[in-house]
Amino acid sequence: GKRNPSTKTIGFISRDATATMTRFTAAILLLASQLLRPIYSLHADEAGLNDFLLASSGHGRVTKALFIHNNDLIVTASPENSCYVAARNIQSGGLVWRLNACSNEALSLKDVGISASGDSLIVVDDGVIVKSIDAMTGNVIVDEQSGRGSRVKTRNKAQVMNEVKILSKLNQIDSAYHYGAAGVCVPSAGNVDDPSLIALATTIRDDGKVELHVYEFNRQDNASLTRKDLLDLNVSTNGEVLDIFASCDDNAKRVSALISTSGGTSAMIIPNDASLPNPASWTHEETITSLKTVQFFDRDFVTVEDSLHYSFKERYRLQMMGALSFFGKMKARVLGGKSTTSNGRDADFGFGKVAVALSESNTSQHRVFGIDTLNKGKIVWSLLLNEGTTKSYLVKDQLSPSTSRHKSELLVVSELKDGKGVEWKCVNGITGSILEEGVADCQISKIFPLGVLSNEKHCRQVLLTIDEEENVTVLPSTEGAFTAANAELSREPFYLHSIDHERGSFKSLRVDDQNKEGKHFQTTIVGEANIPEKIVDVAYALSEEKIQSPVTIMGDDSLLLKYLNPHLAVVISEGRAESIESFEKGTLPFASAEASSTSSKKPLGASKPGEVVHDSSIISAPSVFVTLIDTVSARVLYRISHSDAAIRSQERDANVPIVVSENWIYYSFWNQRAKRSEIGVLSLYDGMIEKYGMTAFKSPVQDTSFSSFEAPKPIVLHKTFSIGKGIVSMGITQTTLGMSSKNVLFGLENGQIYALERVFLDPRRPSSEPTVSEKAERLSRYSPLVPLLPRKMVSYSNEVEGMTSISSTSTNLESQSLMIAFGGPDVYFTRLSPSKGFDLLPESFNKELLILVVFGLIAVTGWLSQKKKSAFTDLGWA
């Protein structure tokens, strides 16, 4: 029928529709702003949310323990092996204090004892009592020095008794058990019926678990077994029990014992305390103080290959579970605010990692730890390496696709002492399970990934190892690895290198065919670089670094071509005493004319006005050398030296931290004359393309291939900066695509970690006022002093003592990078934003309001669409 034409329209929408739409939208916004609380975004940059600091005792495996103040504290140390002394709370295991008790790095800790008063510790340093330490606080008592003749408390009866005899006696009493370690303590005098001696001994069950037995000796020296406890220790993962340190209180009502294993595990046992559900009240891994290298794995890693083997019913079930999990996560995100679990933001954005760390301690067996970065650094698995291991390596699969199950596999290679070969284990980096293992008849001087994958079921990466006699062997020692290596080496040549640190020799070798026995590959010398100094360290480019662009865009749109040589090695060498003497005599080729011309020197003040006099006495001999070498051709690409630079000193075991990133090289050394740390920066370039050198109709002639034998040497820019704190380690942030700006990470001597944007260390910073194009690149005027800004301290208020390495890994978000600092008593982990959170929502973003506005706009759009149709109908009937 005919519609009522009395409604007036404006265009296609009536005035009533416009007013209603306005009122509706305003009502939605007002209701949302009043009723909905603002919540934190799931993707906000929450500083400190997943940070953790693992603090160890610092001394490695416990070889001496002292119970202090009615068993409130236990003081641990490892004399002859470490200078650290630490105290833990007996009940909680928390670290109360830790102290480096040696006067300097050159000395060693000889012994630790309790003073006669029982309130302090006496530390013996190289046979002399050098410190008296408050046992409760760890503070050094200045007025109680060796000159006052402080007396160490005499050992009690339990300490005087030979534990070997006790152990032998227990094995005779009960021959069914084989006790490997024992600890004894003597209660204070009490009733006649109280035991005169309590002995604790450990035995190993058939399943590898450690069992604790408690014996009581009466006045007649008769022993009776009073208690058995199964401990949360396993010989295969924690090592054998080597020491038991026991303490008894009055009348033997409470016995406390610290167990120390060959793997560096410390476990506090309180077997007589019925209030504790587990006799092991706490355990700590003391060998995290000796971490050497770290590899990262995604904790929530899911493979595509595994799902292909499921049946239709199993795939359907997994898909339904995945769908329910997805909607559950969406509901939690909308209604639940922040999510800190792996089911939410952390799993989606790759924040959940398992940091696989290798520990090489000189006091215990080498171990590999799996550290959960989302669970405050909890050690989720550990692997105990062979007792005869001298050095170990972690090799990650870099070639398999990201969805392949091999991406979670790790090859652990260990060289055994006395020439017993090399043990390798294929390990799941997430769970720690051993997938395959074997032993190869070879020795290791260096390991090189061959760059191919074998057809093995596990650990398909193929490695070549070279020993000191330049014999090359394939690892793993499987048929598939040998087949893949032979095929690759017959297809194209492969180059590796050997280094003689003492002689300063850097030799490049080409791998040829196998020898007659078929055990090793033969090599041919391609080139050799002879460095006059002693080689201290060698650094290479980061293996997992993503390079976003091969050029640097200048402020005037010109292009600087980066020198990206995958075979680049940075060699740090230390000048020899004879070289320094030759320099002072002026016989070295790089000695200056002023230094060699001593006969024509004028006395100071004898020059004419305005004349500059060069005094050779102030010219120091170069002591640290940085050499860039191509590992394939052994060509020296660049070389620079630094005077007054320290590799080692009496006060500190100095080193030269190095980072190689893209075409940049960063290194740091201690300037003995200026008493400060200096940062050397090298940037390498291949050339330059002017602003109009590359257009749609014009392109420069470029070589599409790179040859280490024929390529020209790079153009090197160099500058030196200084910083007010000592630098002990360096690292650099890594992101998924390499688009974010790089932050150079400095581990400072005071335990802080400083992040500095790379542009502040650019050697192209001008010496005068920057031009417009230089300002466009954010290049400021060169100043040698690097400012220390408190807001750039990524360790916040934490003190990370003794760190020697800083490693970084990427996440699924380009703006986020994960960092871990290790190598000392502390391990620190945090999340960084080198270019801020450009792909993150701000913390104050109200997602609920956004969702309501979107749904409101959808409703308004539908309503307007209906009104539009009505307007067309009315217009047609008008």
Side-chain angles (χ1 to χ4, degrees), residues 2 121 124 195 288 291 404 416 432 441 482 508 520 609 646 799 846 861:
K2 186 176 180 181
L121 302 173
V124 180
I288 65 171
L291 299 185
S404 171
L416 306 180
D441 184 16
F482 277 104
S508 175
H520 306 290
E799 181 179 347
N846 195 329
T861 303

Side-chain angles (χ1 to χ4, degrees), residues 548-563 663 684-695 698-700 702 715 764 777:
Q548 194 271 334
S549 174
V551 300
T552 298
I553 304 177
M554 302 178 66
D556 59 354
D557 292 335
S558 299
L559 301 179
L560 278 177
L561 306 180
K562 298 178 182 178
Y563 181 81
N663 63 318
L684 285 60
Y685 297 97
D686 239 345
M688 177 180 175
I689 300 177
E690 60 180 359
K691 180 177 181 179
Y692 300 106
M694 179 181 293
T695 63
K698 179 182 178 182
S699 61
Q702 291 271 323
I715 303 169
R764 296 193 300 115
E777 295 183 68

Side-chain angles (χ1 to χ4, degrees), residues 54-70:
L54 299 181
S56 70
S57 299
H59 48 60
R61 188 181 76 83
V62 177
T63 61
K64 184 158 189 178
L66 305 170
F67 291 83
I68 308 294
H69 285 280
N70 297 324

Side-chain angles (χ1 to χ4, degrees), residues 179-314:
Y179 296 113
V184 296
C185 64
V186 176
S188 301
N191 299 326
V192 178
D193 296 331
D194 290 337
S196 62
L197 178 70
I198 296 179
L200 296 88
T202 56
T203 183
I204 303 173
R205 303 199 322 176
D206 293 337
D207 59 357
K209 288 281 189 179
V210 177
E211 194 172 75
L212 177 70
H213 293 181
V214 180
Y215 285 86
E216 291 185 0
F217 286 78
N218 59 21
R219 306 295 175 180
Q220 290 76 34
D221 254 1
N222 297 321
S224 60
L225 180 61
T226 59
R227 180 165 178 149
K228 294 182 181 179
D229 288 305
L230 183 62
L231 306 181
D232 189 19
L233 296 175
N234 196 300
V235 176
S236 61
T237 56
N238 303 106
E240 298 182 0
V241 177
L242 297 183
D243 296 294
I244 301 177
F245 306 96
S247 175
C248 307
D249 67 353
D250 294 343
N251 304 327
K253 295 179 181 178
R254 186 183 183 92
V255 178
S256 303
L258 182 74
I259 291 180
S260 177
T261 70
S262 62
T265 302
S266 297
M268 174 57 65
I269 313 298
I270 310 179
N272 287 15
D273 193 344
S275 63
L276 295 175
N278 192 325
S281 58
W282 50 263
T283 59
H284 284 286
E285 301 294 350
E286 302 295 355
T287 54
I288 65 171
T289 189
S290 305
L291 299 185
K292 300 301 181 184
T293 182
V294 169
Q295 297 283 358
F296 287 95
F297 293 88
D298 287 324
R299 195 184 72 163
D300 300 281
F301 177 73
V302 179
T303 67
V304 174
E305 295 173 348
D306 293 339
S307 64
L308 298 179
H309 302 287
Y310 293 144
S311 64
F312 173 78
K313 183 178 179 180
E314 291 173 333

Side-chain angles (χ1 to χ4, degrees), residues 599-672:
S599 59
S600 60
K601 279 199 308 179
K602 295 181 181 180
L604 295 179
S607 59
K608 298 178 181 179
E611 180 183 0
V612 178
V613 177
H614 299 281
D615 183 13
S616 63
S617 62
I618 64 174
I619 300 177
S620 302
S623 53
V624 171
F625 298 80
V626 181
T627 308
L628 309 186
I629 299 179
D630 189 295
T631 59
V632 172
S633 62
R635 288 197 305 162
V636 175
L637 304 176
Y638 184 76
R639 183 170 164 85
I640 189 172
S641 63
H642 297 276
S643 300
D644 301 312
I647 295 291
R648 294 174 182 86
S649 62
Q650 286 187 340
E651 294 81 12
R652 55 195 290 269
D653 186 11
N655 60 349
V656 181
I658 322 168
V659 172
V660 183
S661 173
E662 296 186 1
N663 63 318
W664 294 63
I665 299 168
Y666 307 90
Y667 58 94
S668 175
F669 56 90
W670 180 257
N671 190 315
Q672 289 181 317

